[in-house]
């Protein structure tokens, strides 16, 4: 029986982050392990409220009160099993998820701080690795059926693991030189050290999943070939088409880049250094892209922008401005606009913001300014208002509010326009919808025997949604292949985050 008064005895506490001067001098994760005493105390704050809205907040339906109580009572093995029953990769979500479950925690109803669900999750996940090094669970019987998974992000990997454990032969095709999708070369090491991906991959490999890197499906191997070799195909190619701003004067100047170009280059430098092969940060064509000694301007306010900010600090930028089109959000939930238990619009301070840089809200870039040689030297911004008219965003600049911010490196982190237009789509006979995503039927099939999941299906989203969709698509594929019994399907293709009606 959980402690009904734990939240009255203990305040919400998170482990201290590593000191800023120390952590920006390396690429290691920002948070050190919390320690058992703190985690058991924090798990005690979960009162097992009876109707756990956190379950609905979490797309995976993680059994949060169950594992909180198991941690409180020191039953770590059972906590690991409970967590793995719904989540293939809690070491990813425990580090990276924005935790919509915490926004839905019942403690929030009474004006209390929510349980530190995400922190408990990562500690359980890390305990599992420390205890038995992620024991493989290979299928005891092979079904003789074969599935191709295209794309090795969290959606593809979750589906691959579910299908392999159900006895199917799974091959994951990835065009990059390493497995992991955005976890590998998009998200920096200070948020997710890559050893966590490698440990999971060792488990998946031991469970029989085959990985083929450096294979661009649609180019190196055709859809027809995949269909001939496999009984079903899952497309999990992400939503990597970066939004651009071609109409802004000066967009073609040197020094103006997509944020992902900067992040991928930086991540490759860290990976190469780890392999003992130091290399400079460059674009694929060899052009240097590094913030060292530069005035950096990041355009955008989300995860990608914050990751660029953290990278710029670690590369030794002379200064960083982060520009946001929207006004500064409130620090507390506006209950009229976003009632509990929905996800609130509030100011989110990432660890990278604690490390430096200046955030500027309610501004838009009017021009990237040329230094006379074709290189950007500044951005000219104006203060703006933003309103929605008939579903369209209208941005209005305030006359006389323009000013320049020095900039040698400008990074566009203004979102994604869905999955990339690439040969694979036509070959499989699927087309992008108005949001740039690939639609599916209620059984996750985009077309006969071809399934779709993750960002490619729902548009740029979150890791927890990618894993949930990967699990659900795997369940549908298992049924399609005539597998015995059901696999868990935490979401259906129409499922959306909690929202006010
Ligand atoms: C910079 C950044 C930071 C983020 N930070 C967070 C965070 O902190 N928390 C969070 O929850 N979410 C975060 N996200 C979002 C999260 O990473 C994605 O929602 C998630 O990775 C989507 O998973 P996926 O498996 O659908 O696709 P992806 O991870 O995008 O993987 C798709 C894979 O498909 C491969 N592929 C594409 N086409 C082909 C082809 N033709 N042949 C072979 N392979 C192909 C790609 O190379 C890629 O590896 C972040 C996103 C970005 C860009
Ligand atoms: S995966 Fe995300 S939403 Fe689900 S329990 Fe973990 S932190 Fe919460």
């Amino acid at each position: 029986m959980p402690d009904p008064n734990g939240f009255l005895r203990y305040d919400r506490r998170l482990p201290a982050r590593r000191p800023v001067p120390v952590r920006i001098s390396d690429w290691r994760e920002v948070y050190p392990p919390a320690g058992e005493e703190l985690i058991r105390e924090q798990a005690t704050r979960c009162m097992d409220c009876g109707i756990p809205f956190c379950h609905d907040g979490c797309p995976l339906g993680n059994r949060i009160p169950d594992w909180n109580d198991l941690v409180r009572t020191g039953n770590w093995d059972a906590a690991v099993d409970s967590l793995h029953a719904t989540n293939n990769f809690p070491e990813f979500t425990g580090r990276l998820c924005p935790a919509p479950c915490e926004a839905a925690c019942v403690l929030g109803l009474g004006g209390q701080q929510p349980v530190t669900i995400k922190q408990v999750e990562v500690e359980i996940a890390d305990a599992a690795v420390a205890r038995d090094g992620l024991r493989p669970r290979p299928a005891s019987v092979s079904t003789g059926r074969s599935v191709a998974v295209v794309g090795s992000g969290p959606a593809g990997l979750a589906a691959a693991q579910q299908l392999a454990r159900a006895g199917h032969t799974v091959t994951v095709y990835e065009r990059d030189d390493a497995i992991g999708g955005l976890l590998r070369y998009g998200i920096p090491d200070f948020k997710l050290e890559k050893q966590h991906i490698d440990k999971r991959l060792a488990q998946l490999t031991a469970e029989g999943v085959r990985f083929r890197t450096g294979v661009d499906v649609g180019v190196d191997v055709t859809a027809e070939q995949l269909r001939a070799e496999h009984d079903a195909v899952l497309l999990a190619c992400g939503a990597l088409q970066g939004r651009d701003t071609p109409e802004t004067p000066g967009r073609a100047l040197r020094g103006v880049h997509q944020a992902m170009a900067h992040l991928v280059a930086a991540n490759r430098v860290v990976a190469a250094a780890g392999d003992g092969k130091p290399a400079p940060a460059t674009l694929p064509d060899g052009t240097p892209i590094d913030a060292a000694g530069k005035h950096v301007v990041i355009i955008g306010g989300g995860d990608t922008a914050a990751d660029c900010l953290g990278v710029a600090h670690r590369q030794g930028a002379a200064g960083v401005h982060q520009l946001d089109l929207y006004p500064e959000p409130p620090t507390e939930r506006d209950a009229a606009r976003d009632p509990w238990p929905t996800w609130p619009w509030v100011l989110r301070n990432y660890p990278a913001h604690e490390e430096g840089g200046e955030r500027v809200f309610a501004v838009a870039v009017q021009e990237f300014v040329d230094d006379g040689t074709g290189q950007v030297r500044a951005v000219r911004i104006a203060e703006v208002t933003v309103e929605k008219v008939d579903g369209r965003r209208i941005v209005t600049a305030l006359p006389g509010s323009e000013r320049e911010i020095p900039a040698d490196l400008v990074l566009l982190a203004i979102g994604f326009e869905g999955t990339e237009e690439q040969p694979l789509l036509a070959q499989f006979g699927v087309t992008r919808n108005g949001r740039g995503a690939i639609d599916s039927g209620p059984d996750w099939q985009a077309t006969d025997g071809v399934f779709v999941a993750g960002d490619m299906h729902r548009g740029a989203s979150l890791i927890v949604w990618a894993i949930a969709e990967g699990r659900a698509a795997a369940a549908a594929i298992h049924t399609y292949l005539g597998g015995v019994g059901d696999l868990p399907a935490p979401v259906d293709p129409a499922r959306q985050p909690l929202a006010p009606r």
Side-chain angles (χ1 to χ4, degrees):
M1 164 76 187
D3 183 343
N5 297 318
F7 70 97
L8 296 174
R9 285 191 287 122
Y10 301 114
D11 289 334
R12 177 183 164 103
R13 284 199 299 143
L14 289 168
R17 294 168 184 152
R18 293 198 297 132
V20 168
V22 176
R23 71 186 197 230
I24 63 167
S25 65
D26 63 36
W27 295 87
R28 306 293 307 277
E29 282 174 9
V30 164
Y31 282 98
E36 180 160 348
E37 194 185 335
L38 175 61
I39 286 308
R40 288 182 67 173
E41 171 197 291
Q42 291 300 303
T44 304
R45 295 188 69 242
C46 177
M47 61 177 141
D48 194 7
C49 51
I51 303 181
F53 280 81
C54 54
H55 279 203
D56 289 325
C58 174
L60 287 163
N62 274 349
R63 300 168 188 166
I64 296 159
D66 291 7
W67 36 260
N68 274 332
D69 198 49
L70 290 165
V71 167
R72 179 184 74 84
T73 52
N75 286 307
W76 287 90
D77 286 341
V80 168
D81 289 346
S82 175
L83 183 50
H84 276 147
T86 55
N87 188 354
N88 298 71
F89 313 127
E91 67 279 22
F92 303 160
T93 46
R95 285 181 167 76
L96 298 168
C97 188
C101 56
E102 293 185 13
C105 175
V106 165
L107 284 182
L109 253 185
Q112 296 275 341
Q113 289 293 310
V115 175
T116 58
I117 298 169
K118 168 178 159 172
Q119 192 67 38
V120 177
E121 181 175 21
V122 77
E123 297 292 331
I124 299 173
D126 287 354
V129 177
R131 284 166 119 73
D132 71 3
L134 294 179
R135 196 166 9 97
R137 287 175 34 205
S140 49
V141 181
S142 167
T143 62
R145 310 306 297 273
S146 160
V147 184
V149 174
V150 186
S152 69
L157 292 181
Q161 185 164 59
Q162 293 297 99
L163 290 163
R165 287 178 172 178
H168 306 294
T169 302
V170 182
T171 307
V172 177
Y173 296 84
E174 169 56 57
R175 68 182 174 192
D176 260 338
D177 60 0
I179 296 292
L182 282 171
L183 304 183
R184 177 68 67 179
Y185 290 131
I187 293 174
D189 281 54
F190 56 80
K191 278 171 61 180
L192 178 79
E193 289 175 16
K194 306 314 169 200
Q195 47 149 326
H196 304 298
I197 309 175
D198 297 335
K199 286 176 183 160
R200 266 304 162 186
L201 295 183
Q203 185 194 43
L204 266 78
T205 303
E207 291 170 352
V209 177
R210 301 165 185 176
F211 293 105
R212 292 189 57 190
T213 52
V215 180
D216 191 344
V217 174
V219 178
D220 301 318
V221 51
T222 64
E224 199 181 343
Q225 285 170 307
L226 275 202
R227 277 178 172 281
E229 280 179 37
H230 302 279
D231 299 305
V233 177
L234 174 66
L235 300 179
C237 300
L240 300 167
Q241 185 66 53
R243 184 165 293 132
D244 214 309
T245 173
E247 72 288 354
T248 306
R251 168 62 185 91
L253 293 174
R254 288 193 312 279
V256 183
H257 299 282
Q258 281 284 344
M260 281 302 293
H262 176 235
L263 292 174
V264 171
N267 272 331
R268 284 189 176 279
V269 169
V270 177
D275 293 340
K277 298 175 193 154
T282 60
L283 300 175
D285 68 3
T287 309
I289 177 166
D290 195 310
K294 298 207 169 110
H295 294 283
V296 181
V297 170
I298 301 165
I299 304 173
D303 274 328
T304 308
D307 288 356
C308 287
L309 180 63
V311 168
H313 294 321
R314 282 158 183 76
Q315 289 179 333
V320 192
H321 284 87
Q322 186 187 340
L323 312 183
D324 200 320
L325 193 60
Y326 292 96
E328 184 167 346
T331 52
E332 299 282 329
R333 181 194 287 275
D334 175 349
R337 176 196 151 124
D338 308 311
W340 176 91
T342 63
W343 181 246
W345 182 64
V346 290
L347 181 67
R348 291 181 206 284
N349 288 314
Y350 296 80
H353 293 119
E354 190 183 73
E355 295 163 0
E358 188 182 332
R359 291 166 96 170
V360 188
F361 292 94
V363 292
V365 174
Q366 309 297 295
E367 181 187 358
F368 303 107
V369 185
D370 194 339
D371 74 349
T373 71
Q375 160 71 36
V376 67
R377 70 159 179 81
V379 291
R380 191 162 51 77
I381 60 169
E383 291 170 25
V384 295
T385 56
V386 185
E387 51 184 344
K388 274 251 165 95
V389 179
D390 298 333
R392 282 192 318 119
R393 194 171 67 179
I394 308 287
V395 180
T396 311
L398 269 62
S401 69
E402 291 192 3
R403 64 186 167 103
E404 280 190 9
I405 297 179
D408 315 303
L409 176 63
V410 178
L411 301 169
L412 306 177
I414 50 180
F416 294 86
E417 290 184 331
T419 202
E420 294 154 285
E421 191 56 72
Q422 54 168 317
L424 155 155
L425 300 184
Q427 289 181 18
F428 278 110
V430 297
T431 47
R432 299 162 84 235
N433 64 21
R435 294 179 302 107
I438 304 299
D439 288 327
S440 78
D443 63 356
W444 299 93
Q445 270 185 95
T447 180
D448 187 30
V450 179
F451 298 72
V452 60
D455 279 7
M456 190 177 192
H457 169 254
R458 62 185 303 115
S461 179
L462 297 174
I463 291 158
V464 63
W465 279 102
I467 298 173
E469 291 211 356
R471 286 172 70 85
I477 293 170
H478 182 65
T479 303
Y480 173 82
L481 295 178
V484 177
D486 293 329
L487 297 185
V491 291
D492 64 53
R495 169 87 179 265
Q496 293 299 322
L498 286 175
R501 297 209 170 185

